[in-house]
Amino acid sequence: MNHIAPFRQAIQALSEGRPREALPWLRQSIAEADEPELAGLNLGMALADLGEFGEAEPLLLRAAQELRHLAEPHFRLGRIAAQRMRIAEARQHFDTALAVEPDHVMSLVGLAMLEEAAGHPHEALALLDHAALLAPRDEHIALFRLRCQAATREPQAAMEIALALLAHGQGGVENARLAASLLPPAEALPKLEAGAANQPVNWLWSFAIALAQHAAGATEDAVASLRLASLLSDGAPAVAGELGMRLADLRRHTEAEPHLAAAARGLPTDPGFRSQHGITLFKLHRFAECRAVLEAAIRDFGPLPALLGNLALALNAQGAQQEALATARRNPGNVAGLANQLGVQPYHPREGSAAALAATARALGALLPQPSLPPHPRGFAPERRLRVGFLSSHFARHPVGWLTLAGIEALPRDEIEVVCFSLRPNTDALARRFHDTADLWRELPKLDDADLVEAIRADAPDILVDLGGHGEGGRVAALAHRAAPVQVKWVGAQSCSTGVPAMDWMLTDARETPPGSEAHYTERLLSLPDGYVCYAPPAWAPAVGPLPALARGHITFGCFNNMAKITPEALRAWAAILNAVPGSRLVLRTHALADAETRALVLARAAACGLDPARIETHGPVPHEELLAAYNDIDLALEPFPYAGGLTACEALYMGVPLVALAGSSFAGRHAVSHLTNVGLPDWITDSTPAYIARAIAACRDVPALAALRAGLRARVAASPLMDAPRFGRNLADALRRAWRERCLEG
C-alpha cells in the first residue's frame, strides 16, 4: 500500500490539473514501485504539460520502449516535436501512435494541427472528421473543425463562422485570431465591436478586437482592448502574453515584463512567450535573468533559431564573446542565422578580424537574391536634384541619431531632397529634428521584405541610405530586392561588410578603410575626405571640469563602452597599464553593470586577467546628462578592442578626455582611429597591444600635459571636421553625387 499511495496521489493531482504537485509523488513512485513504467510515463506527461520538455523527452522515449502497447508516449513525443518545430519528427510520432492505436483521437488532432499550421485546411478537416466520429461529443474537436471549415470558405462566409465561434465563447484564442485575420481591419473591426456590444463579458471579443487594432497599426488601442480582455478573463495567460508583446512593441518594457512572465508561467509550452520574455529582460538589461530564461527554453524546446540568436546577444552583452559566437554558430547557416552571427562576431578577439567578418558576410550574401538594375522612371540625369532616402529605426536619441543628424541637416537642399523612411515611431527631441529636416517623412509599419521594398519604391528615391545594417531593427537584407537604383550603407551596425549583393557602396573614410581594405567588403568604398560621421553633441552636455588627477594625486582611467566590447585581451592590457601606474583606478560604466550577476562575472574575468577588482569601480546606467558629467571624474579613456567605441569615443573627446586606441583591421575596430585623426590626435593611435600599453603609461607620466590637453580639447573637437556640419554636408553630398554619376554611366 505504501508503494501505491504516492502514485494514487500523483494521479489525483494530475486529474485536478496540478501537474507541479504531482512531480514528487511520481518520482517517489519510480524509485519505490515494483513496476515503475507507468509512473515514468506519467512523470514525462506532467513535465511535458509544464513545458519542461528537456526532462520529459527521455522519460517518454523510455516509456515508448517499455510500454509498446500504448499510443500515449508517441503522441506526447509528437507534441514536443511540434513545439520544437521538428515537423517531420512530430508527424512520425503521431503516425506511430496511430499504428499502435488506430483510433487514438488526439493523434488525429495532432496531425490536423500540423496540417492547419502548414496552410492545408482541407487535409486538416479530413483528419478532424475522423476524430469527430470517434469522439462526437468533444466540443474542442467540433470547434477546431469549424475553424478549419472557415479557412476553406471565401472571406465573408468564413467570417460568419468565425463570429459564431467567438459568440460560442469556447475554443480559446485561436478562434479570436481567426476572426481578426480573415478580413482587412477596417472591415473586421465593426463586426467584432458589434459582437462585443452583444456579449460585453465575453473576453474573446476584446481579444480579437485588439488583434485587429494591432494589424491596423493602432497599438495603443490594442493595449487598451487587451487590458479589458485581461480583466474579463481573470488574467488568462494568452491575454497576458499578447499584452506583454504589444507593450514591448511600444518599448514599454518595464510594463511588459510581468505580463510576459505570467504568460510564460501559464503557458509554458508556448516558445513564443518564453522567447519574448527573454528579449524583454534583455531590453531591461537584466542579462543574467535573460540568459537563464533563454537557456531553459533551449533545454525544453531545443535549439530554435530565435532562442539561439537571442541567447547569443545576451551572452555578448555580458562580455562572453566566445560563448556568444559559439551560440550564434549553432544557428542554421541561413540569412537570419548568419545575420545573428554578424551581430556578435565583430566583438570576438580573434574572429572579429576584417577577413573573418568578410567571409561570414559573403556567405550570407550568397543566400540573398542577386541584384538587378531596373530602369529608373525618372531617368538618369547625372546632375539633377537627387531624392535621397534614409532608412532607420533610430531617428532618435541613439548613436545613429547623434552621428548622422547634423550631416543630414547640412545637406545642400537645392541639390538633395531628403526622405526619411522610419521603421519605428520616435518622439524625442532628436526625432523631431529629423522630422523637421525631412522633405518627406514616411512611417513604415512592420512589413515583410517584399512589401517593405515596394513601399520604399513607391516614393522613388534615387539613392537609399541604410542606417540599420544587421543590427536591431535593421532591414538591410530586405534591400537585396533593391529599393533604389543606388543603395549605400552608413552608420547603424556598421561594423563590417553587409554582404548584401544589392548594397552598392559603403560610406567610409580613409582611416576606417585604409588602402588595401577593399577585399574585405562586398560593397564599393565611398570614401569621404575627413571622417565618415558628423557628431552632434547634446545641448545638455555639462562643462568640462579640471583634470581629476590634479586634486586626487592619482590617475583614473575609464571605459564607458558596453561589456560586449571588453574582451579578455583588453582586460589584460588594462591590467598591465594599471599595474605600471601606481594608485591608478579604472571606472567602468554601462547598462550591463546594473545586473549583479553580470557585474560579478566581469570582475571575476578581470581578476583572471590580472586586474585587481579592488581597483575597479562599476556603475550601471544613468541619464545621458549624468553619463556625460561622469567624464569629469576620468583622466584618460581606454578604448576597448577589437571593437572600438564610436559614439562613446566622440563623447569622451567632447568632454575633454583623451583616449588611447588600438587600430584594428575591421570597420568596427577603427572607429576611434577616424575620430582621433579628425580632432588632430593621431599620436594617441597605436598598432599593437604593447604600443597601446606603453602609450597609456607614457601619458600618465606627464600630468600637466594631460591637464593642458583637457582644458582645450572641447574647443579642438568643436573646431574639427568631426563637428563641422557644413563641411560634412558638402562632403556627403559630393560623395552621393559621385555614386549617382557612376550609376548613370551604367544606364
Side-chain angles (χ1 to χ4, degrees):
M1 287 294 293
N2 290 338
H3 293 169
I4 297 172
F7 187 67
R8 285 178 174 170
Q9 289 176 299
I11 295 302
Q12 182 175 347
L14 291 173
S15 67
E16 294 172 356
R18 296 180 285 118
R20 181 71 65 187
E21 294 179 30
L23 298 183
W25 289 319
L26 288 169
R27 289 193 171 101
Q28 183 180 347
S29 297
I30 292 173
E32 296 178 355
D34 294 330
E35 297 180 357
E37 295 86 356
L38 283 177
L41 170 60
N42 280 277
L43 178 57
M45 291 164 57
L47 289 165
D49 288 341
L50 293 167
E52 297 177 17
F53 299 148
E55 188 177 353
E57 185 178 39
L59 289 163
L60 293 169
L61 286 168
R62 181 181 299 173
Q65 291 294 318
E66 294 174 343
L67 303 169
R68 295 177 182 271
H69 63 290
L70 294 181
E72 192 68 19
H74 294 287
F75 163 67
R76 294 290 184 146
L77 287 165
R79 287 183 57 180
I80 291 175
Q83 293 287 58
R84 290 174 166 176
M85 303 305 292
R86 299 175 185 168
I87 304 306
E89 182 183 330
R91 188 179 297 277
Q92 183 178 6
H93 280 300
F94 291 143
D95 286 341
T96 302
L98 288 167
V100 173
E101 186 181 331
D103 292 340
H104 194 264
V105 173
M106 292 311 297
S107 291
L108 290 167
V109 174
L111 287 170
M113 293 178 70
L114 296 181
E115 297 293 356
E116 182 191 34
H120 304 148
H122 291 286
E123 290 82 348
L125 268 175
L127 291 159
L128 291 170
D129 287 343
H130 186 184
L133 288 174
L134 297 169
R137 297 181 181 179
D138 191 309
E139 192 170 69
H140 293 290
I141 293 174
L143 293 169
F144 190 1
R145 286 182 72 224
L146 283 172
R147 189 166 77 239
C148 291
Q149 285 174 354
T152 67
R153 309 286 177 85
E154 60 87 20
Q156 291 293 344
M159 188 65 171
E160 293 307 313
I161 296 175
L163 294 173
L165 286 168
L166 285 184
H168 190 280
Q170 301 295 323
V173 296
E174 291 310 313
N175 295 333
R177 294 189 191 282
L178 176 69
S181 66
L182 289 168
L183 298 175
E187 296 179 44
L189 277 168
K191 297 178 182 292
L192 297 171
E193 288 165 351
N198 290 330
Q199 292 182 306
V201 297
N202 180 349
W203 64 269
L204 288 171
W205 292 109
S206 295
F207 187 81
I209 288 168
L211 297 177
Q213 289 168 331
H214 175 60
T219 307
E220 289 282 8
D221 292 340
V223 166
S225 296
L226 287 166
R227 291 194 192 282
L228 177 59
S230 181
L231 181 66
L232 294 172
S233 68
D234 196 23
V239 180
E242 194 72 26
L243 178 55
M245 294 276 202
R246 300 293 73 83
L247 289 167
D249 286 343
L250 295 168
R251 286 177 281 178
R252 288 155 59 178
H253 302 297
T254 301
E255 289 181 71
E257 191 276 327
H259 295 292
L260 291 165
R265 287 192 302 270
L267 291 171
T269 59
D270 187 316
F273 290 145
R274 290 173 67 178
S275 179
Q276 183 61 55
H277 185 216
I279 294 169
T280 299
L281 290 166
F282 181 93
K283 297 289 187 182
L284 293 171
H285 307 112
R286 291 160 58 179
F287 297 119
E289 292 176 76
C290 166
R291 180 174 171 177
V293 164
L294 294 173
E295 287 174 339
I298 290 169
R299 283 196 301 273
D300 293 330
F301 296 101
L304 297 180
L307 296 174
L308 286 173
N310 292 326
L311 178 58
L313 295 175
L315 289 164
N316 215 41
Q318 289 189 303
Q321 298 90 0
Q322 297 196 46
E323 292 176 67
L325 183 57
T327 301
R329 284 177 168 166
R330 291 177 62 194
N331 250 328
N334 55 24
V335 171
L338 290 168
N340 178 241
Q341 185 174 325
L342 282 177
V344 299
Q345 188 176 344
Y347 300 88
H348 194 279
R350 288 171 298 284
E351 298 294 326
S353 69
L357 291 166
T360 304
R362 286 193 171 89
L364 184 152
L367 302 175
L368 291 170
Q370 295 302 303
S372 59
L373 293 175
H376 191 275
R378 298 172 64 192
F380 290 109
E383 305 307 321
R384 66 169 169 79
R385 188 179 187 223
L386 296 177
R387 172 172 280 193
V388 178
F390 296 88
L391 176 68
S392 181
S393 295
H394 301 298
F395 293 121
R397 286 177 58 174
H398 182 274
V400 168
W402 297 118
L403 297 177
T404 66
L405 175 59
I408 294 172
E409 287 176 330
L411 285 168
R413 305 315 274 275
D414 58 331
E415 300 175 32
I416 290 179
E417 176 189 9
V418 171
V419 183
C420 287
F421 296 105
S422 178
L423 295 169
R424 178 186 292 168
N426 295 288
T427 58
D428 62 36
L430 256 67
R432 291 191 292 273
R433 281 178 62 184
F434 273 110
H435 199 285
D436 290 345
T437 203
D439 297 291
L440 178 64
W441 184 273
R442 289 283 188 246
E443 293 279 353
L444 298 180
K446 291 184 177 179
L447 300 169
D448 64 23
D449 287 355
D451 288 342
L452 175 64
V453 168
E454 284 303 316
I456 296 170
R457 284 178 181 170
D459 286 314
D462 300 307
I463 299 174
L464 183 69
V465 181
D466 174 71
L467 302 176
H470 294 296
E472 182 198 1
R475 299 296 303 276
V476 68
L479 303 186
H481 299 280
R482 189 169 288 283
V486 177
Q487 298 188 147
V488 180
K489 178 71 196 87
W490 184 35
V491 195
Q494 192 174 11
S495 56
C496 61
S497 175
T498 66
V500 177
M503 191 58 61
D504 305 301
W505 299 91
M506 173 79 77
L507 200 63
T508 182
D509 63 52
R511 275 69 58 188
E512 283 283 356
T513 51
S517 302
E518 295 82 2
H520 302 312
Y521 296 86
T522 59
E523 306 86 355
R524 287 183 284 178
L525 300 180
L526 189 59
S527 191
L528 298 179
D530 300 315
Y532 80 109
V533 295
C534 184
Y535 174 52
W540 55 81
V544 175
L547 189 76
L550 294 174
R552 292 175 176 166
H554 67 261
I555 294 291
T556 303
F557 298 101
C559 180
F560 292 1
N561 285 274
N562 63 63
M563 284 297 109
K565 296 182 179 181
I566 299 179
T567 60
E569 286 75 4
L571 288 170
R572 282 191 284 270
W574 295 352
I577 293 167
L578 265 72
N579 290 336
V581 180
S584 59
R585 297 185 63 76
L586 172 64
V587 176
L588 302 178
R589 185 181 290 274
T590 190
H591 289 85
L593 292 173
D595 184 87
E597 186 172 324
T598 300
R599 190 165 58 249
L601 287 171
V602 170
L603 292 176
R605 202 176 294 133
C609 292
L611 184 52
D612 183 359
R615 299 177 71 179
I616 302 175
E617 292 180 28
T618 59
H619 301 276
V622 292
H624 196 203
E625 184 173 355
E626 293 180 37
L627 175 71
L628 295 176
Y631 279 107
N632 280 329
D633 294 325
I634 305 300
D635 297 296
L636 180 61
L638 298 174
E639 276 295 290
F641 53 87
Y643 201 129
L647 175 63
T648 311
C650 295
E651 291 179 340
L653 292 168
Y654 189 71
M655 288 304 303
V657 180
L659 46 96
V660 180
L662 173 56
S665 63
S666 71
F667 205 104
R670 300 184 66 84
H671 294 329
V673 174
S674 176
H675 304 330
L676 285 166
T677 302
N678 277 294
V679 302
L681 297 176
D683 56 317
W684 290 82
I685 302 166
T686 63
D687 60 4
S688 69
T689 303
Y692 175 94
I693 295 168
R695 184 65 183 89
I697 295 169
C700 299
R701 292 184 179 135
D702 192 346
V703 171
L706 267 182
L709 176 60
R710 184 188 192 91
L713 191 50
R714 176 173 290 187
R716 180 196 289 249
V717 172
S720 76
L722 183 61
M723 284 183 57
D724 190 337
R727 175 171 169 163
F728 184 89
R730 180 70 265 162
N731 290 339
L732 178 58
D734 289 346
L736 295 173
R737 179 67 62 181
R738 185 163 72 252
W740 177 250
R741 286 172 181 149
E742 292 205 21
R743 176 67 182 91
C744 291
L745 291 174
E746 296 169 2

